[in-house]
Amino acid sequence: MEENRLQEQLQPINGQKVCHYAKKPFGWLTMGENGCVILAIYNALLRSGWEASVEEIHGILNHPLQGRLCGVRTGELRACLRKLKIPFEEVYSPRELERRMGIGSVAVVMR
């Protein structure tokens, strides 16, 4: 397991349907069908130099009471980053994102 975590930390995960998490349950479906946000959070944090595992992110977002058919709401994304103690900024357009973000920063683009 530690070896998998080390490999995971060294490279981003590309392709939710083909990664080794694809069959892991997420909501009513699986990560392969429904886990794009988990993998996007993981990949963004990895590129920004923050440490968080797919398992940690999955554990935060996969609440048994959620009954999730698909998707992760923006508020859940905020709560996940807070729980992981990742500082982030909320921005409201790609232009604002470019203007405000620095190297190693994390942002949530609100729509």
Side-chain angles (χ1 to χ4, degrees):
M1 186 75 167
E2 189 62 34
E3 183 178 324
N4 286 343
R5 180 167 163 82
L6 181 60
Q7 286 177 334
E8 171 186 279
Q9 288 180 336
L10 295 177
Q11 59 188 2
I13 295 173
N14 185 11
Q16 75 188 63
K17 292 188 182 294
V18 297
C19 74
H20 66 274
Y21 294 102
K23 294 183 180 176
K24 185 174 184 67
F26 184 56
W28 293 350
L29 301 171
T30 65
M31 291 270 294
E33 298 156 321
N34 210 14
C36 58
V37 171
I38 291 173
L39 299 180
I41 292 169
Y42 166 77
N43 286 335
L45 294 178
L46 179 70
R47 289 190 52 100
S48 298
W50 293 93
E51 285 196 30
S53 70
V54 171
E55 292 293 340
E56 288 173 293
I57 298 165
H58 179 272
I60 293 168
L61 293 175
N62 195 40
H63 300 293
L65 300 178
Q66 183 69 26
R68 180 183 314 283
L69 179 58
C70 62
V72 172
R73 296 184 312 265
T74 306
E76 294 176 281
L77 177 54
R78 281 190 215 103
C80 179
L81 292 173
R82 285 184 185 119
K83 190 158 188 165
L84 292 169
K85 296 181 173 44
I86 306 294
F88 66 94
E89 294 189 50
E90 293 182 21
V91 295
Y92 295 89
S93 72
R95 184 169 289 163
E96 184 182 4
L97 177 68
E98 288 177 18
R99 192 176 72 246
R100 294 179 59 186
M101 298 306 294
I103 295 172
S105 299
V106 176
V108 176
V109 178
M110 309 300 289
R111 292 189 181 224

